[in-house]
Amino acid sequence: MLARPVPRAGMGADPIGRMQCAGSLLWRAIAKGAKHIHKFGYIPHIRCTYSIDSYVVIMTTTRFRQVLVVAETGSFSRAAAALKISQPALTKAVQAVEKELGVRLFDRQPRGVTLTEFGTRVVAYARDTAHAEDDLVHDLALLAGLETGRLSVALGPYPSVVSGYAAAARLIGQHPRLGIALRVTNWRVVTQAVVDRKADLGIAELADAMGNEGLTSEPVGSHRARFFCRPEHPILRRERATFADLLEFPWATTRIPSRIAAAFPRSLGRAGKIDDASGDFVPAIELDVPMQIASFVGASDVLAIGGLAMVERELHAGVLDLVANTEVDMRARYGFLWLRHRSLSPAALAYMQAVREEERLFGEREACLAATYERRRGVRRSRPRVRP
Protein backbone atom coordinates (compact mmCIF):
# COMPACT_ATOMS: atom_id res chain seq x y z
CA MET A 1 0.00 0.00 0.00
CA LEU A 2 1.72 3.16 -1.18
CA ALA A 3 0.95 6.71 -0.18
CA ARG A 4 2.36 9.33 -2.57
CA PRO A 5 1.90 12.81 -1.07
CA VAL A 6 2.61 16.08 -2.77
CA PRO A 7 6.01 17.29 -1.46
CA ARG A 8 5.90 20.23 0.92
CA ALA A 9 8.02 23.27 0.17
CA GLY A 10 11.28 23.49 2.07
CA MET A 11 11.35 19.89 3.29
CA GLY A 12 13.94 18.46 0.95
CA ALA A 13 16.90 18.99 3.28
CA ASP A 14 15.18 18.04 6.52
CA PRO A 15 15.25 14.29 7.22
CA ILE A 16 12.98 14.62 10.24
CA GLY A 17 10.57 16.66 8.18
CA ARG A 18 10.57 13.93 5.57
CA MET A 19 9.88 11.44 8.34
CA GLN A 20 6.94 13.47 9.62
CA CYS A 21 5.52 13.93 6.14
CA ALA A 22 5.78 10.21 5.47
CA GLY A 23 4.16 9.44 8.80
CA SER A 24 1.41 12.02 8.33
CA LEU A 25 -0.13 9.72 5.75
CA LEU A 26 0.01 6.75 8.11
CA TRP A 27 -3.54 7.30 9.27
CA ARG A 28 -4.82 7.24 5.70
CA ALA A 29 -2.92 4.05 5.07
CA ILE A 30 -4.19 2.55 8.33
CA ALA A 31 -7.76 3.43 7.44
CA LYS A 32 -7.42 1.58 4.14
CA GLY A 33 -5.85 -1.42 5.88
CA ALA A 34 -8.31 -1.59 8.76
CA LYS A 35 -10.11 -4.54 7.17
CA HIS A 36 -7.16 -6.69 8.30
CA ILE A 37 -7.63 -5.85 11.94
CA HIS A 38 -9.66 -8.87 13.02
CA LYS A 39 -7.36 -11.28 11.21
CA PHE A 40 -4.09 -10.10 12.70
CA GLY A 41 -5.08 -8.22 15.90
CA TYR A 42 -3.01 -5.28 14.64
CA ILE A 43 -2.41 -3.53 11.31
CA PRO A 44 0.43 -5.46 9.73
CA HIS A 45 1.63 -4.15 6.36
CA ILE A 46 1.08 -0.43 6.15
CA ARG A 47 3.73 1.36 4.16
CA CYS A 48 4.18 5.07 3.67
CA THR A 49 6.46 6.27 0.87
CA TYR A 50 7.67 9.82 0.47
CA SER A 51 9.92 11.00 -2.35
CA ILE A 52 11.87 14.25 -2.66
CA ASP A 53 14.50 14.73 -5.34
CA SER A 54 14.94 10.97 -5.75
CA TYR A 55 15.22 10.58 -1.95
CA VAL A 56 12.76 7.89 -0.84
CA VAL A 57 11.64 7.25 2.73
CA ILE A 58 9.75 4.02 3.38
CA MET A 59 8.43 3.54 6.91
CA THR A 60 6.16 0.71 7.99
CA THR A 61 4.35 0.40 11.28
CA THR A 62 6.61 -2.56 12.02
CA ARG A 63 9.72 -0.39 11.63
CA PHE A 64 8.24 2.31 13.86
CA ARG A 65 7.76 -0.26 16.60
CA GLN A 66 11.19 -1.83 16.11
CA VAL A 67 12.93 1.51 16.56
CA LEU A 68 10.75 2.21 19.60
CA VAL A 69 11.57 -1.11 21.30
CA VAL A 70 15.32 -0.65 20.74
CA ALA A 71 15.08 2.77 22.39
CA GLU A 72 13.05 1.46 25.33
CA THR A 73 15.31 -1.54 26.03
CA GLY A 74 18.59 0.23 25.27
CA SER A 75 19.91 -2.88 23.57
CA PHE A 76 19.54 -4.57 20.20
CA SER A 77 19.75 -8.02 21.79
CA ARG A 78 17.04 -7.31 24.38
CA ALA A 79 14.87 -5.61 21.76
CA ALA A 80 15.25 -8.58 19.41
CA ALA A 81 14.20 -10.95 22.19
CA ALA A 82 11.18 -8.78 23.00
CA LEU A 83 10.20 -8.61 19.33
CA LYS A 84 10.92 -12.33 18.83
CA ILE A 85 13.18 -11.80 15.85
CA SER A 86 16.90 -12.36 15.37
CA GLN A 87 19.33 -9.63 16.38
CA PRO A 88 20.92 -9.43 12.89
CA ALA A 89 17.48 -8.94 11.34
CA LEU A 90 16.66 -6.15 13.79
CA THR A 91 20.04 -4.49 13.30
CA LYS A 92 19.58 -4.57 9.53
CA ALA A 93 16.06 -3.11 9.82
CA VAL A 94 17.22 -0.18 12.00
CA GLN A 95 20.20 0.45 9.75
CA ALA A 96 17.83 0.59 6.78
CA VAL A 97 15.75 3.23 8.57
CA GLU A 98 18.87 5.26 9.35
CA LYS A 99 19.98 5.01 5.74
CA GLU A 100 16.60 6.09 4.42
CA LEU A 101 16.43 9.06 6.78
CA GLY A 102 20.05 9.99 6.28
CA VAL A 103 20.71 10.33 10.02
CA ARG A 104 22.02 8.13 12.82
CA LEU A 105 19.32 7.27 15.38
CA PHE A 106 21.47 5.41 17.92
CA ASP A 107 25.01 5.68 19.22
CA ARG A 108 26.39 2.15 19.59
CA GLN A 109 28.26 1.55 22.84
CA PRO A 110 29.80 -1.57 24.46
CA ARG A 111 26.94 -1.89 26.94
CA GLY A 112 24.07 -0.93 24.68
CA VAL A 113 22.79 1.99 22.65
CA THR A 114 21.72 5.55 23.39
CA LEU A 115 19.57 7.88 21.33
CA THR A 116 21.06 10.67 19.27
CA GLU A 117 19.24 13.98 18.98
CA PHE A 118 17.73 12.76 15.72
CA GLY A 119 16.80 9.47 17.38
CA THR A 120 15.00 11.27 20.19
CA ARG A 121 12.84 13.10 17.65
CA VAL A 122 12.09 9.94 15.69
CA VAL A 123 11.26 7.87 18.78
CA ALA A 124 8.87 10.53 20.10
CA TYR A 125 7.10 10.50 16.75
CA ALA A 126 7.14 6.68 16.58
CA ARG A 127 5.58 6.48 20.05
CA ASP A 128 2.75 8.82 19.05
CA THR A 129 2.21 6.81 15.88
CA ALA A 130 2.10 3.54 17.80
CA HIS A 131 -0.45 5.01 20.22
CA ALA A 132 -2.52 6.27 17.29
CA GLU A 133 -2.55 2.80 15.78
CA ASP A 134 -3.47 1.24 19.14
CA ASP A 135 -6.37 3.67 19.46
CA LEU A 136 -7.61 2.75 16.01
CA VAL A 137 -7.37 -0.95 16.81
CA HIS A 138 -9.30 -0.29 20.01
CA ASP A 139 -12.02 1.73 18.24
CA LEU A 140 -12.45 -0.89 15.54
CA ALA A 141 -12.71 -3.56 18.22
CA LEU A 142 -15.67 -1.63 19.66
CA LEU A 143 -17.55 -2.41 16.46
CA ALA A 144 -16.98 -6.11 16.99
CA GLY A 145 -19.04 -6.02 20.16
CA LEU A 146 -19.26 -8.98 22.50
CA GLU A 147 -19.19 -11.73 19.92
CA THR A 148 -15.76 -11.36 18.32
CA GLY A 149 -14.09 -8.71 20.48
CA ARG A 150 -11.17 -9.06 22.87
CA LEU A 151 -10.65 -7.59 26.33
CA SER A 152 -7.40 -7.10 28.27
CA VAL A 153 -7.76 -6.61 32.05
CA ALA A 154 -5.06 -5.95 34.68
CA LEU A 155 -6.12 -7.06 38.17
CA GLY A 156 -4.80 -6.24 41.60
CA PRO A 157 -4.32 -9.18 44.01
CA TYR A 158 -7.53 -8.96 46.04
CA PRO A 159 -10.00 -8.09 43.26
CA SER A 160 -8.65 -10.98 41.20
CA VAL A 161 -9.65 -13.44 43.93
CA VAL A 162 -12.84 -11.71 45.03
CA SER A 163 -14.45 -10.98 41.67
CA GLY A 164 -12.06 -10.73 38.72
CA TYR A 165 -11.76 -14.39 37.77
CA ALA A 166 -15.37 -15.23 38.57
CA ALA A 167 -16.62 -12.31 36.47
CA ALA A 168 -14.50 -13.44 33.51
CA ALA A 169 -15.93 -16.96 33.79
CA ARG A 170 -19.45 -15.53 33.93
CA LEU A 171 -18.84 -13.39 30.83
CA ILE A 172 -17.23 -16.19 28.80
CA GLY A 173 -20.17 -18.42 29.67
CA GLN A 174 -22.51 -15.88 28.12
CA HIS A 175 -20.24 -14.99 25.16
CA PRO A 176 -17.98 -17.97 24.37
CA ARG A 177 -16.36 -16.33 21.32
CA LEU A 178 -15.13 -13.36 23.32
CA GLY A 179 -11.40 -13.31 24.07
CA ILE A 180 -10.23 -12.18 27.54
CA ALA A 181 -6.66 -11.71 28.77
CA LEU A 182 -6.30 -11.43 32.56
CA ARG A 183 -3.08 -10.28 34.23
CA VAL A 184 -2.71 -10.27 38.01
CA THR A 185 -0.02 -8.05 39.47
CA ASN A 186 0.81 -5.48 42.13
CA TRP A 187 -1.82 -2.76 42.28
CA ARG A 188 0.69 -0.04 41.42
CA VAL A 189 1.67 -1.98 38.29
CA VAL A 190 -2.01 -2.25 37.34
CA THR A 191 -2.33 1.54 37.22
CA GLN A 192 0.78 1.84 35.05
CA ALA A 193 -0.42 -0.93 32.73
CA VAL A 194 -3.58 1.06 32.00
CA VAL A 195 -1.58 4.27 31.48
CA ASP A 196 0.78 2.44 29.10
CA ARG A 197 -2.19 0.94 27.18
CA LYS A 198 -1.14 -2.57 28.06
CA ALA A 199 -4.60 -3.15 29.52
CA ASP A 200 -8.03 -1.87 28.44
CA LEU A 201 -9.28 -1.92 32.02
CA GLY A 202 -7.74 -2.15 35.47
CA ILE A 203 -9.21 -3.23 38.81
CA ALA A 204 -7.01 -2.27 41.73
CA GLU A 205 -6.42 0.00 44.71
CA LEU A 206 -7.33 3.51 43.55
CA ALA A 207 -4.76 5.54 45.52
CA ASP A 208 -2.51 6.11 42.49
CA ALA A 209 -5.33 6.56 39.99
CA MET A 210 -7.08 9.29 41.97
CA GLY A 211 -4.27 11.76 41.27
CA ASN A 212 -3.93 10.95 37.57
CA GLU A 213 -5.92 13.30 35.35
CA GLY A 214 -5.57 10.93 32.41
CA LEU A 215 -7.54 8.18 34.17
CA THR A 216 -11.17 7.65 35.05
CA SER A 217 -11.96 5.56 38.10
CA GLU A 218 -15.02 4.03 39.76
CA PRO A 219 -14.98 2.40 43.23
CA VAL A 220 -16.33 -1.15 43.23
CA GLY A 221 -15.05 -3.09 46.25
CA SER A 222 -14.57 -2.38 49.96
CA HIS A 223 -14.07 -5.45 52.15
CA ARG A 224 -12.69 -5.86 55.63
CA ALA A 225 -9.44 -7.77 55.98
CA ARG A 226 -9.35 -10.25 58.87
CA PHE A 227 -6.56 -12.18 60.56
CA PHE A 228 -6.37 -15.98 60.52
CA CYS A 229 -4.06 -18.47 62.17
CA ARG A 230 -3.66 -22.16 62.93
CA PRO A 231 -6.02 -23.47 65.65
CA GLU A 232 -3.14 -23.98 68.13
CA HIS A 233 -1.69 -20.48 67.68
CA PRO A 234 -0.69 -18.77 70.96
CA ILE A 235 -2.59 -15.60 70.07
CA LEU A 236 -5.88 -17.49 70.46
CA ARG A 237 -5.24 -17.76 74.20
CA ARG A 238 -6.03 -14.05 74.47
CA GLU A 239 -9.67 -13.10 74.69
CA ARG A 240 -9.28 -10.27 72.18
CA ALA A 241 -6.10 -9.58 70.29
CA THR A 242 -4.99 -5.96 70.28
CA PHE A 243 -3.11 -4.41 67.39
CA ALA A 244 0.08 -4.63 69.46
CA ASP A 245 -0.58 -8.36 69.92
CA LEU A 246 -0.88 -8.85 66.14
CA LEU A 247 2.47 -7.14 65.57
CA GLU A 248 4.24 -9.79 67.63
CA PHE A 249 3.86 -12.30 64.77
CA PRO A 250 4.81 -12.35 61.07
CA TRP A 251 2.06 -11.30 58.67
CA ALA A 252 1.38 -13.02 55.34
CA THR A 253 -0.48 -10.84 52.87
CA THR A 254 -0.06 -8.56 49.89
CA ARG A 255 1.45 -5.09 50.21
CA ILE A 256 -0.77 -2.74 52.19
CA PRO A 257 -1.14 0.74 50.64
CA SER A 258 0.23 3.81 52.33
CA ARG A 259 -3.26 5.21 53.01
CA ILE A 260 -3.60 2.41 55.59
CA ALA A 261 0.02 2.01 56.59
CA ALA A 262 0.26 5.70 57.53
CA ALA A 263 -1.70 4.91 60.70
CA PHE A 264 0.57 2.04 61.76
CA PRO A 265 2.90 2.57 64.74
CA ARG A 266 6.58 3.20 64.09
CA SER A 267 7.59 -0.10 65.66
CA LEU A 268 6.06 -2.94 63.64
CA GLY A 269 7.59 -5.88 65.49
CA ARG A 270 7.72 -9.06 63.40
CA ALA A 271 4.77 -8.11 61.20
CA GLY A 272 6.78 -6.38 58.47
CA LYS A 273 8.21 -2.99 57.59
CA ILE A 274 7.38 0.27 55.82
CA ASP A 275 8.77 0.84 52.33
CA ASP A 276 10.59 4.19 52.60
CA ALA A 277 10.05 5.00 48.90
CA SER A 278 6.30 4.38 48.65
CA GLY A 279 5.08 4.37 52.25
CA ASP A 280 3.47 0.95 51.67
CA PHE A 281 3.56 -1.70 54.37
CA VAL A 282 5.63 -4.69 53.25
CA PRO A 283 4.61 -7.79 55.25
CA ALA A 284 7.10 -10.31 56.55
CA ILE A 285 5.72 -12.75 53.97
CA GLU A 286 4.70 -10.79 50.88
CA LEU A 287 2.20 -12.57 48.62
CA ASP A 288 1.50 -11.70 45.01
CA VAL A 289 -2.02 -13.13 45.28
CA PRO A 290 -3.82 -13.94 48.57
CA MET A 291 -4.55 -17.57 47.70
CA GLN A 292 -3.65 -20.78 49.55
CA ILE A 293 -2.97 -18.74 52.67
CA ALA A 294 -3.65 -21.78 54.86
CA SER A 295 -0.34 -23.25 53.68
CA PHE A 296 1.54 -20.38 55.36
CA VAL A 297 0.02 -20.84 58.81
CA GLY A 298 -0.24 -24.60 59.18
CA ALA A 299 3.02 -25.17 61.04
CA SER A 300 4.07 -21.67 62.09
CA ASP A 301 2.99 -18.62 64.04
CA VAL A 302 2.32 -16.63 60.87
CA LEU A 303 -0.89 -14.58 60.74
CA ALA A 304 -2.56 -14.59 57.34
CA ILE A 305 -4.77 -11.73 56.21
CA GLY A 306 -7.78 -12.04 53.91
CA GLY A 307 -11.55 -12.20 53.66
CA LEU A 308 -13.76 -14.76 55.35
CA ALA A 309 -15.20 -15.95 52.05
CA MET A 310 -11.68 -16.53 50.72
CA VAL A 311 -10.98 -19.16 53.42
CA GLU A 312 -14.48 -20.47 54.06
CA ARG A 313 -13.58 -24.11 53.41
CA GLU A 314 -10.52 -23.95 55.66
CA LEU A 315 -12.54 -22.39 58.47
CA HIS A 316 -15.24 -25.04 58.12
CA ALA A 317 -12.62 -27.82 58.11
CA GLY A 318 -10.93 -26.43 61.22
CA VAL A 319 -7.63 -25.82 59.42
CA LEU A 320 -7.80 -22.07 60.11
CA ASP A 321 -9.24 -20.06 62.95
CA LEU A 322 -10.34 -16.43 63.06
CA VAL A 323 -8.36 -14.10 65.33
CA ALA A 324 -10.84 -12.08 67.36
CA ASN A 325 -10.01 -8.39 67.56
CA THR A 326 -11.90 -5.14 67.81
CA GLU A 327 -9.07 -2.68 67.23
CA VAL A 328 -8.24 -3.37 63.59
CA ASP A 329 -10.52 -2.51 60.69
CA MET A 330 -8.37 -2.57 57.57
CA ARG A 331 -10.38 -2.48 54.36
CA ALA A 332 -9.45 -3.12 50.78
CA ARG A 333 -10.80 -0.29 48.65
CA TYR A 334 -10.39 -0.84 44.95
CA GLY A 335 -12.19 -0.04 41.74
CA PHE A 336 -12.17 0.18 37.96
CA LEU A 337 -9.74 2.45 36.15
CA TRP A 338 -9.37 3.23 32.46
CA LEU A 339 -8.00 5.92 30.17
CA ARG A 340 -10.20 9.00 30.26
CA HIS A 341 -10.16 9.63 26.51
CA ARG A 342 -10.82 6.02 25.45
CA SER A 343 -14.34 4.68 25.11
CA LEU A 344 -15.07 1.45 26.92
CA SER A 345 -15.86 -1.47 24.62
CA PRO A 346 -19.08 -3.50 24.97
CA ALA A 347 -16.91 -6.32 26.33
CA ALA A 348 -15.42 -4.04 29.02
CA LEU A 349 -18.84 -2.74 30.03
CA ALA A 350 -20.25 -6.27 30.26
CA TYR A 351 -17.24 -7.41 32.28
CA MET A 352 -17.62 -4.48 34.68
CA GLN A 353 -21.26 -5.41 35.25
CA ALA A 354 -20.25 -9.01 35.93
CA VAL A 355 -17.65 -7.78 38.46
CA ARG A 356 -20.27 -5.68 40.23
CA GLU A 357 -22.51 -8.74 40.57
CA GLU A 358 -19.66 -10.89 41.92
CA GLU A 359 -18.76 -8.14 44.39
CA ARG A 360 -22.36 -8.06 45.61
CA LEU A 361 -22.39 -11.83 46.12
CA PHE A 362 -19.04 -11.75 47.92
CA GLY A 363 -20.25 -8.99 50.25
CA GLU A 364 -23.37 -10.96 51.14
CA ARG A 365 -21.33 -14.07 51.85
CA GLU A 366 -18.87 -12.09 53.99
CA ALA A 367 -21.72 -10.74 56.13
CA CYS A 368 -23.13 -14.22 56.63
CA LEU A 369 -19.79 -15.71 57.61
CA ALA A 370 -18.98 -12.80 59.92
CA ALA A 371 -22.21 -13.39 61.82
CA THR A 372 -21.23 -17.03 62.30
CA TYR A 373 -17.52 -16.92 63.08
CA GLU A 374 -17.29 -13.65 64.97
CA ARG A 375 -20.06 -14.81 67.29
CA ARG A 376 -18.24 -18.13 67.71
CA ARG A 377 -15.01 -16.29 68.65
CA GLY A 378 -16.89 -13.94 70.98
CA VAL A 379 -16.08 -10.71 69.17
CA ARG A 380 -17.85 -7.70 70.69
CA ARG A 381 -18.41 -4.23 69.26
CA SER A 382 -18.60 -2.52 72.63
CA ARG A 383 -15.64 -0.17 72.15
CA PRO A 384 -14.53 2.05 69.28
CA ARG A 385 -12.34 0.52 66.59
CA VAL A 386 -9.06 2.01 65.46
CA ARG A 387 -8.89 2.25 61.66
CA PRO A 388 -5.26 1.88 60.63
Side-chain angles (χ1 to χ4, degrees):
M1 185 185 307
L2 298 179
R4 301 186 181 279
V6 177
R8 299 185 198 172
M11 291 191 60
D14 181 3
I16 300 300
R18 291 195 295 269
M19 171 77 172
Q20 291 175 332
C21 189
S24 68
L25 292 175
L26 182 60
W27 270 105
R28 289 169 58 184
I30 288 175
K32 292 180 182 179
K35 62 183 179 181
H36 301 294
I37 188 65
H38 298 301
K39 180 178 179 181
F40 295 99
Y42 63 99
I43 301 171
H45 301 304
I46 298 159
R47 189 162 90 165
C48 295
T49 302
Y50 184 75
S51 178
I52 301 177
D53 300 330
S54 75
Y55 187 102
V56 178
V57 176
I58 299 177
M59 289 297 294
T60 65
T61 53
T62 298
R63 286 190 177 179
F64 274 121
R65 291 183 183 274
Q66 287 172 341
V67 170
L68 189 56
V69 173
V70 173
E72 290 176 344
T73 60
S75 163
F76 276 91
S77 60
R78 289 193 293 270
L83 293 166
K84 298 182 179 179
I85 62 175
S86 68
Q87 182 175 339
L90 178 60
T91 300
K92 184 179 294 185
V94 174
Q95 288 174 343
V97 173
E98 291 178 323
K99 182 177 180 181
E100 290 167 359
L101 293 175
V103 296
R104 181 180 292 275
L105 303 182
F106 299 98
D107 285 328
R108 279 70 169 173
Q109 300 174 349
R111 295 187 178 181
V113 296
T114 57
L115 286 168
T116 64
E117 183 177 355
F118 290 110
T120 301
R121 290 276 303 276
V122 171
V123 165
Y125 184 77
R127 184 175 288 109
D128 290 342
T129 301
H131 286 170
E133 183 186 350
D134 290 342
D135 284 342
L136 178 61
V137 171
H138 173 78
D139 290 343
L140 291 175
L142 292 179
L143 301 178
L146 284 168
E147 300 309 318
T148 58
R150 184 167 182 81
L151 177 65
S152 173
V153 183
L155 298 165
Y158 272 94
S160 71
V161 176
V162 172
S163 58
Y165 286 137
R170 179 192 292 260
L171 190 59
I172 289 295
Q174 297 170 348
H175 305 280
R177 295 179 61 192
L178 177 66
I180 299 182
L182 300 178
R183 175 191 178 193
V184 181
T185 185
N186 178 279
W187 54 270
R188 291 187 185 276
V189 178
V190 170
T191 303
Q192 194 59 45
V194 174
V195 171
D196 292 342
R197 303 164 185 253
K198 295 179 180 178
D200 303 315
L201 181 70
I203 309 178
E205 165 72 36
L206 295 176
D208 282 0
M210 298 298 288
N212 192 320
E213 295 182 356
L215 295 175
T216 299
S217 60
E218 174 192 323
V220 67
S222 179
H223 306 289
R224 183 182 177 190
R226 291 175 168 84
F227 290 79
F228 305 96
C229 64
R230 59 186 174 89
E232 300 82 13
H233 198 288
I235 199 171
L236 296 180
R237 300 171 192 156
R238 307 169 193 182
E239 182 180 356
R240 295 187 184 88
T242 65
F243 192 61
D245 293 334
L246 298 174
L247 295 177
E248 294 177 11
F249 304 96
W251 292 8
T253 184
T254 60
R255 281 195 172 215
I256 296 176
S258 57
R259 65 171 177 82
I260 296 176
F264 285 5
R266 297 185 65 178
S267 178
L268 295 173
R270 298 171 62 195
K273 63 180 182 180
I274 299 296
D275 185 326
D276 293 334
S278 65
D280 297 341
F281 172 79
V282 182
I285 302 174
E286 184 177 1
L287 307 178
D288 285 337
V289 181
M291 299 176 68
Q292 304 297 329
I293 61 177
S295 61
F296 291 97
V297 304
S300 71
D301 288 342
V302 170
L303 299 178
I305 302 177
L308 288 164
M310 294 164 57
V311 294
E312 181 176 358
R313 285 182 294 181
E314 289 84 354
L315 288 170
H316 182 72
V319 177
L320 287 181
D321 207 341
L322 174 66
V323 179
N325 75 83
T326 56
E327 288 191 358
V328 181
D329 190 5
M330 296 189 299
R331 293 183 180 270
R333 292 189 176 92
Y334 51 85
F336 303 116
L337 53 140
W338 64 95
L339 288 176
R340 186 177 300 277
H341 70 276
R342 295 185 80 176
S343 301
L344 289 170
S345 67
L349 293 171
Y351 178 74
M352 291 168 70
Q353 186 56 39
V355 168
R356 295 185 188 101
E357 179 61 18
E358 292 296 334
E359 288 286 338
R360 182 186 66 81
L361 295 174
F362 184 87
E364 291 177 354
R365 190 61 189 156
E366 280 285 294
C368 180
L369 292 171
T372 299
Y373 287 98
E374 289 186 344
R375 180 173 62 250
R376 185 176 301 175
R377 290 294 306 158
V379 176
R380 299 288 184 265
R381 303 292 187 186
S382 57
R383 52 178 173 161
R385 291 170 293 170
V386 176
R387 295 178 177 267

